[in-house]
Amino acid sequence: MSCNSKLVPKARNWQRKEKLKLTLILRVVQAHPNDVDAKNNCKECKKIVQEKAFLKAIAVDHQKSSVADSLDLDSMCIEGDYIGPKLEVVNGQETVTLPFVEQLLEHQKQEKRLHRKYAYKILVEIKRMFSEQPTLVDITIPEGKSFTVCGDIHGQYYDLLNIFKLNGLPSIDNPYLFNGDFVDRGSFSVEVILALFSFKLLYPDHFFMARGNHESETMNQMYGFYGEVKSKYTPQMGDLFTEVFNLLPLAHCINNKVLVMHGGLFKDDTTTLDDLRKIDRNRQPPDEGMMCELLWSDPMEAPGRSSSKRGVGIQFGSDITDSFLKKNNLDFIIRSHEVKDKGYEVTHNGKCITVFSAPNYCDQMGNKGAFVQLKVVDGKLQRDFVSYDAVPHPQVRPMAYANSLFGMM
């Protein structure tokens, strides 16, 4: 038995004990919310659980093989009673087409499921596509043309459909960027991600997706996406989603003047766009460094930097934004990651835009959603904001598929 393999049962035993301990401490915290000792114990116990989960992960990591490579899609049959969307054969290959995507949107709206074979095919193909893209993607908006940036969707499929109703379906003439956190929290995350991946396959050069902090294995297991995939499809597909999420680009640069990322800026004043291009993103997000900060950081009113209330990433002031923009010859940044009453917020003297596209977040926040429209006029990027209210959705509560242990937190 190898040294690494000996770690596996040890890690599992630690996890069982610490999760049981965490459950008991959480009950104490709920019963006595002002008990400082209980809160501190809870925080320390959660840290131990995460550390041991990491130990388990690195112990078996060398044994993992790609789900995409192990699939035998040809052996998956389409049952005779399946009446949902079907990939069309183009040049001998099953391909995502506009009629397929339009049928998929309506099919899922009726709470019907895409056949697992087609879902797997979409994931395998989108993994290949993302693997060929850089960590920082450059986007060019021509003179007189418009471009739409959306923020967090968080599994709110019916609000995603409303964006397309208000702003038109993605197309070559109507390009979009979705800026992370497509899944978790909302209980229609599978529908959201399959729709977005289909548009990416249909319009690879006019539809863009960036990784958010919720496109990670740990967050998906805690906040519902993994449970939803397991319920609607298979655990194996959940693992395949993890492989795909690892390959999502981390940021986009529009017309060499606007940087778009999910979270925010960095601890290091010397960070450049070239540094971002060099990030090896094919991994789970680390707890520190540029990749972590791109996914987790937030702006603040005060100048300078401070530790993040989230526990990872940083908070950064307007002076940090000014310095970064000047160093990289940029005009402003667009980020997401935070609920805003109007669905958007402009801070740091107009140089930091937050856009959040999930209205009435988790069916309880009462916020509007929004998207940003950029248009090139006389060589300059003009920006406009569209806010909207939540629309009705089927009676499935948010977090319906979340891990029961973490649902207590």
Side-chain angles (χ1 to χ4, degrees):
M1 183 180 290
S2 69
C3 178
N4 277 345
S5 62
K6 289 180 181 178
L7 293 174
V8 178
K10 182 178 179 181
R12 286 173 179 164
N13 289 337
W14 266 100
Q15 276 194 288
R16 291 191 189 101
K17 291 177 182 178
E18 295 303 330
K19 282 186 177 181
L20 177 59
K21 180 180 177 182
L22 178 57
T23 301
L24 295 174
I25 293 174
L26 283 167
R27 290 174 181 169
V28 173
V29 172
Q30 287 178 329
H32 305 282
N34 296 320
D35 189 321
V36 176
D37 289 336
K39 287 183 178 179
N40 288 336
N41 286 336
C42 181
K43 183 177 180 180
E44 184 63 26
C45 191
K46 284 195 287 186
K47 181 178 178 182
I48 292 172
V49 170
Q50 291 172 344
E51 288 175 348
K52 297 307 175 182
F54 175 71
L55 176 63
K56 176 185 175 183
I58 62 173
V60 300
D61 186 61
H62 71 288
Q63 300 173 357
K64 289 183 178 180
S65 59
S66 169
V67 173
D69 293 340
S70 68
L71 291 172
D72 182 8
L73 295 178
D74 291 335
S75 69
M76 294 185 188
C77 65
I78 307 296
E79 294 80 4
D81 60 351
Y82 176 71
I83 57 173
K86 297 181 180 180
L87 294 174
E88 297 184 36
V89 178
V90 179
N91 296 325
Q93 299 289 330
E94 288 187 315
T95 304
V96 170
T97 60
L98 180 57
F100 169 84
V101 178
E102 291 175 335
Q103 292 169 31
L104 176 65
L105 295 181
E106 183 60 29
H107 188 73
Q108 293 187 147
K109 181 180 179 181
Q110 297 174 13
E111 298 184 81
K112 297 176 182 178
R113 201 165 302 161
L114 179 67
H115 194 279
R116 66 188 181 281
K117 181 174 183 176
Y118 298 134
Y120 272 118
K121 279 183 171 287
I122 287 170
L123 289 175
V124 170
E125 184 60 21
I126 203 72
K127 181 184 177 185
R128 181 201 61 77
M129 181 176 287
F130 283 134
S131 71
E132 297 172 353
Q133 294 201 313
T135 297
L136 172 59
V137 176
D138 290 294
I139 298 172
T140 300
I141 308 174
E143 176 69 29
K145 299 295 184 179
S146 297
F147 187 91
T148 301
V149 180
C150 296
D152 305 40
I153 298 296
H154 275 301
Q156 297 184 198
Y157 180 66
Y158 295 85
D159 294 307
L160 173 65
L161 295 182
N162 189 44
I163 292 174
F164 295 150
K165 180 179 179 181
L166 294 171
N167 197 55
L169 289 178
S171 69
I172 293 174
D173 295 322
N174 191 28
Y176 279 80
L177 164 58
F178 281 82
N179 197 30
D181 281 13
F182 323 112
V183 302
D184 282 339
R185 306 282 191 183
S187 295
F188 302 95
S189 293
V190 166
E191 289 78 7
V192 166
I193 199 65
L194 288 177
L196 295 181
F197 281 169
S198 295
F199 275 119
K200 178 62 180 175
L201 291 173
L202 184 60
Y203 303 116
D205 299 322
H206 299 85
F207 190 89
F208 304 90
M209 299 175 69
R211 191 173 189 173
N213 63 302
H214 274 265
E215 278 70 57
S216 78
E217 187 173 20
T218 301
M219 301 297 278
N220 294 164
Q221 289 178 348
M222 290 171 60
Y223 293 104
F225 182 60
Y226 187 80
E228 184 181 342
V229 175
K230 187 168 64 172
S231 173
K232 294 179 178 179
Y233 288 101
T234 67
Q236 179 194 48
M237 187 180 289
D239 295 335
L240 181 52
F241 269 111
T242 297
E243 292 181 14
V244 175
F245 289 164
N246 283 349
L247 294 169
L248 282 164
L250 299 182
H252 294 76
C253 189
I254 300 175
N255 285 19
N256 298 314
K257 286 300 180 182
V258 180
L259 183 66
V260 187
M261 78 292 272
H262 181 73
L265 297 181
F266 313 96
K267 283 184 180 180
D268 192 338
D269 280 323
T270 66
T271 302
T272 66
L273 296 185
D274 283 340
D275 292 328
L276 304 187
R277 298 182 201 280
K278 296 173 185 176
I279 296 174
D280 180 7
R281 70 185 188 276
N282 187 9
R283 58 184 296 193
Q284 287 302 293
D287 290 336
E288 59 183 5
M290 288 185 292
M291 181 173 176
C292 171
E293 291 151 6
L294 279 169
L295 300 178
W296 282 95
S297 292
D298 297 292
M300 64 179 182
E301 293 183 7
R305 296 180 176 89
S306 69
S307 299
S308 173
K309 57 189 176 183
R310 300 177 187 269
V312 287
I314 64 163
Q315 291 181 290
F316 58 96
S318 61
D319 55 330
I320 306 301
T321 300
D322 287 338
S323 176
F324 177 81
L325 294 176
K326 183 177 180 180
K327 184 174 185 63
N328 290 281
N329 194 29
L330 299 169
D331 291 342
F332 57 95
I333 63 172
I334 299 176
R335 40 91 60 183
S336 303
H337 197 40
E338 291 182 288
V339 182
K340 299 299 177 183
D341 287 342
K342 295 188 297 184
Y344 71 94
E345 184 177 63
V346 181
T347 56
H348 293 183
N349 300 312
K351 297 178 181 178
C352 178
I353 295 172
T354 298
V355 58
F356 191 87
S357 301
N360 194 25
Y361 181 46
C362 290
D363 286 356
Q364 61 183 10
M365 297 300 291
N367 62 290
K368 290 180 179 292
F371 50 82
V372 185
Q373 292 179 320
L374 302 175
K375 186 173 183 178
V376 181
V377 178
D378 296 330
K380 294 184 179 180
L381 279 169
Q382 295 184 352
R383 59 207 196 191
D384 192 18
F385 305 93
V386 178
S387 294
Y388 50 87
D389 293 315
V391 297
H393 64 74
Q395 295 303 307
V396 182
R397 62 179 177 81
M399 302 283 285
Y401 300 95
N403 187 302
S404 59
L405 172 64
F406 293 100
M408 298 170 62
M409 296 182 187

